Structure formats: C-alpha cells, structure tokens
Amino acid sequence: MTELYNRAKEKFEASHSDVSIQFITTNAISNTSITNELKAVIDAGKSPDLVLFGSAVLPSIVGKNGFIDIEQLAKINGTDLNEFFDTNLLGNFKYEDKLFAIPVGATPIVVMYNKKIFSSLGISEPKSDWSWDNFAEIAKRLKNDTSSSKNGVTTIFPLTNHHLSSLVLSNGGSFLSPDGLTMQGYLDSDSSVSAIEWYSKMVHEGIVQPKYITNTPIEVEKGTVGMYVSKYNELSLLTDQQKENMGVVVQPSFSQRTKSIHGSITGMGILKDSKNADLAFEFMKFVTMDSNEITTDLFKSSYNISKSVYSAMKKDQFISVLMESLPLIKNDIYGRNPYLMNIQTDIQKKLEQTILQNQDIKSSLTEVAKSAEPELKKNK
C-alpha cells in the first residue's frame, strides 16, 4: 500500500508542479484511538486534507471533526459518483443524508473451492444463484468422501462475527437496527435465529468446521480443504498459478429475495477545514476512480473498487465474482455502530459458547443482545 501511494504521489506531483503531498500513517487500531490521534493532529494545526479509514470509524470522526460532503464536491467538479460506485457502497458512508467519504476497498464474503476435488467427485461447480442448501449438500459430499487420505475433505466456515453477520443478512436478518442502536429484536429475530440454528446444526453434524486454520486458501489449493467460506481479500495469498486449481463463487443465500452479504468497507474523505479541497478531490479521483496503472495495482491489493477499473477485467473469474458481490454488500454490525467494536470480543465469545456448547439459540442471542445494548446506546 505504501509503495503504491508513493507512486501515486510522485505521478500527481509531476503533473502539478506547485503541489507537495505528505502522508501521515497511524498504528492506532481502535476507533477511539484513531479519532483521538486525528484530533491531536488537527489541534496541532496540521490537519490533513484527506483521511483513509474504515466505515465503522466514520460516525465517531464526523461527530468530532466533520467532512466535506463529497457528493456536492464531486458535482462541482463534474463527476457523477454513481458512474464509479454501486449505490449500496456509497450508502455505507452516508451520515445525516450527506456523503462524507467514497468507498476505496471492500472485502465481501465469498466461497472458494478446489476445482480438482469437485471434478473428481462429480460435483458441479456452483453458480451465483446457489443456496445454503446447495452449499450443505456439497459440504456433505466432501465430508463423506473416502478417496481422501484424511477420510473426507474439510469444509471450513469460520465462527466469527463477520461470517455470522453475513449468514444472517442472507436470511433477511441483521445483528443491529438500521440506526445501529438496538440489538434486541434484530440479533434474536426469527430470521437471525433460524440462520444461526442452521449453522449450529451444520457444526454439530460435522459438516462444516467452525475453526479457522492458518492460510486456509493455501490448504484449499492443496486439496486438504475442499471448500471455504472466506473474505475475498484472502485470495491475495494465492499466486496466479495456484489460482488455476481454485474456484470462487458469490456467497449463497437462503432465498433469492435476500441476497445480501457482509463486507468490510474502507473509505476516503476530505476534512471540512481542508484548505485544498478541490486539489484533494482531484487526487482522490486519481487514486480511487480513474483507470490507470496505479489504480489497477491498487485494485489487485483490494484498495480500489471503481467500476472504471474492474470492469475492464471482468473476464477474470475472481474479479467477476467480486463484481457480482459488491452490489450485494449490506451495512451491518461495525458499519452501523463503530462502538460495537469495543465489545466485539465479548460478543464473539458468547456466540462461540452458544454454538459450540449447543445452547438454545433464541434465548442465548437475546442475552447477547441485552448485554450489548448499554454500550451501543451510551455512545449515541
């Protein structure tokens, strides 16, 4: 990333002789520390023009410092953002009906699989309209395969907040209310409960393995894992040669009416007190929207999702799956309330306990929701 942005800096400065770009990096990992670090820079009179951050951080930063409405600035500069980004991705950066950032990167949940294993077992490669029932049938075939030296090839479906959120979304449920302040009635709704009950049943029947193993994509390529519910950016662990053995497909859904996917979104915004807003937007457009050598490389590193960049490569199977997935990404969990990250470890542990100990899903999810809400609402 640093090398790519440095290349962008050199190229932009070469065409703008009176411009000098400086990058400020941070090692902060929590929303609170990121916000405090940015505030300290601003208070010291060194306010940046552009900020790159995760969508979960947006409300906490906007409330303290404020961003320029990118949609209005884009119109002034003759740019229609809808030509470059899907509406749902732009929606991840809406705050009080204003667009304070544009999407830079997205990592939707997808399913990768080993083509050779599927072929040897006579399993048809899944299409984008497949269902979780289709997924379960394939996972059972992999589990019962006796041709493998390990007496069955594993299907890995990690038990994480991200993966379960994506599963719940694909059944019409969600972890949180649209305003991000309520978990009761959402995490423990019928749609959410039935999705997690389905997952729990798959785990206890040994059809899927809930524990992530190191470098799972490599294990899929090697054939020790047959199918893996993964984040799209994990494909970057594979070489082009390794990808020849791999297939990837859009995450399944329980119904064609609820084809929604969880995805982590990164965005870029311009602070309100920027003294170079037009130039900042020009540089933003250069690295996030325009089709050029740098944006192509940024795309390959999962830091560009501009239609003008990826549409030129849509014949690539992996890119075409990303293109299909992006419009399906729906805002949930951290994107709806960044303060959920303060208790994400507790929620993760409770969900693991609920599923692995085969507890009653409905009552356990209600308990998780009740315990989470004070944290969500105290930061309103």
Side-chain angles (χ1 to χ4, degrees):
M1 280 296 299
T2 301
E3 186 270 332
L4 289 172
Y5 276 114
N6 280 331
R7 278 171 52 199
K9 160 186 161 68
E10 291 171 5
K11 192 165 184 178
F12 193 82
E13 288 178 343
S15 60
H16 297 74
S17 57
D18 58 340
V19 173
S20 176
I21 299 172
Q22 291 182 312
F23 295 125
I24 302 173
T25 58
T26 176
N27 293 318
I29 56 174
S30 72
N31 294 330
T32 301
S33 57
I34 291 171
T35 302
N36 290 341
E37 192 167 312
L38 178 59
K39 188 176 185 301
V41 171
I42 293 171
D43 291 345
K46 299 178 181 179
S47 175
D49 295 298
L50 285 163
V51 181
L52 180 69
F53 52 85
S55 62
V57 183
L58 178 61
S60 57
I61 297 179
V62 168
K64 296 194 175 190
N65 305 298
F67 287 94
I68 288 174
D69 185 341
I70 294 295
E71 205 158 24
Q72 294 303 313
L73 187 59
K75 286 179 181 178
I76 292 171
N77 283 273
T79 302
D80 180 2
L81 296 179
N82 292 301
E83 291 182 6
F84 297 94
F85 306 105
D86 292 297
T87 303
N88 64 306
L89 296 178
L90 291 171
N92 278 274
F93 296 100
K94 288 276 187 176
Y95 187 78
E96 295 180 351
D97 296 323
K98 293 182 180 179
L99 184 69
F100 289 98
I102 61 168
V104 174
T107 55
I109 300 293
V110 297
V111 178
M112 62 176 70
Y113 56 92
N114 184 294
K115 286 184 175 182
K116 289 184 178 179
I117 291 174
F118 273 48
S119 177
S120 68
L121 295 177
I123 300 173
S124 299
E125 293 188 32
K127 306 297 183 183
S128 60
D129 61 350
W130 68 326
S131 68
W132 284 114
D133 286 340
N134 300 143
F135 173 91
E137 290 170 7
I138 294 172
K140 288 175 185 176
R141 291 279 302 278
L142 295 172
K143 175 180 180 289
N144 295 328
D145 171 34
T146 56
S147 64
S148 167
S149 60
K150 298 187 75 173
N151 192 30
V153 184
T154 307
T155 294
I156 294 183
F157 192 152
L159 203 175
T160 73
N161 293 338
H162 288 87
H163 289 81
L164 291 183
S165 167
S166 205
L167 180 71
V168 162
L169 286 170
S170 72
N171 198 36
S174 65
F175 270 45
L176 293 173
S177 59
D179 64 7
L181 299 175
T182 305
M183 190 172 279
Q184 291 185 74
Y186 292 90
L187 178 63
D188 57 349
S189 69
D190 290 344
S191 296
S192 300
V193 170
S194 63
I196 295 179
E197 283 178 340
W198 175 90
Y199 176 80
S200 181
K201 185 172 183 288
M202 295 277 284
V203 169
H204 287 283
E205 290 182 358
I207 297 170
V208 301
Q209 177 178 308
K211 187 175 181 180
Y212 175 82
I213 61 174
T214 304
N215 294 330
T216 304
I218 304 296
E219 298 304 318
V220 176
E221 191 274 333
K222 287 162 54 178
T224 53
V225 172
M227 190 162 58
Y228 172 43
V229 182
S230 70
K231 295 179 182 179
Y232 180 85
N233 63 347
E234 290 185 72
L235 289 164
S236 62
L237 294 172
L238 301 167
T239 65
D240 289 340
Q241 185 176 358
Q242 287 173 320
K243 286 182 180 179
E244 291 178 5
N245 294 331
M246 303 284 289
V248 64
V249 64
V250 175
Q251 174 196 277
S253 63
F254 286 100
S255 163
Q256 289 301 305
R257 297 190 306 274
T258 53
K259 287 182 69 65
S260 297
I261 300 172
H262 171 78
S264 301
I265 313 289
T266 304
M268 186 179 288
I270 301 174
L271 287 175
K272 273 187 178 177
D273 55 358
S274 168
K275 297 180 177 61
N276 308 288
D278 288 331
L279 269 174
F281 179 79
E282 190 178 342
F283 180 75
M284 174 191 280
K285 187 172 183 294
F286 173 64
V287 294
T288 65
M289 297 179 235
D290 294 343
S291 181
N292 54 58
E293 181 184 337
I294 291 169
T295 50
T296 297
D297 287 344
L298 282 167
F299 171 83
K300 292 176 181 177
S301 300
S302 298
Y303 269 85
N304 189 289
I305 47 175
S306 167
K307 292 179 183 178
S308 63
V309 177
Y310 67 68
S311 60
M313 299 179 277
K314 61 185 178 183
K315 291 183 179 180
D316 182 292
Q317 177 205 3
F318 297 89
I319 293 171
S320 66
V321 168
L322 176 63
M323 291 172 66
E324 286 185 78
S325 298
L326 290 177
L328 304 176
I329 291 177
K330 190 171 182 179
N331 204 358
D332 193 24
I333 56 175
Y334 313 121
R336 290 188 180 180
N337 191 321
Y339 301 104
L340 187 67
M341 296 185 77
N342 296 334
I343 52 174
Q344 65 172 330
T345 302
D346 290 338
I347 292 174
Q348 176 78 40
K349 287 180 179 178
K350 288 175 182 176
L351 290 175
E352 288 177 0
Q353 184 179 31
T354 296
I355 292 168
L356 298 180
Q357 295 182 9
N358 208 14
Q359 298 175 354
D360 180 74
I361 302 294
K362 175 73 173 181
S363 59
S364 294
L365 294 182
T366 298
E367 182 183 337
V368 171
K370 284 182 179 178
S371 64
E373 286 196 11
E375 181 70 26
L376 301 178
K377 287 179 174 161
K378 84 177 182 184
N379 291 290
K380 182 177 179 180

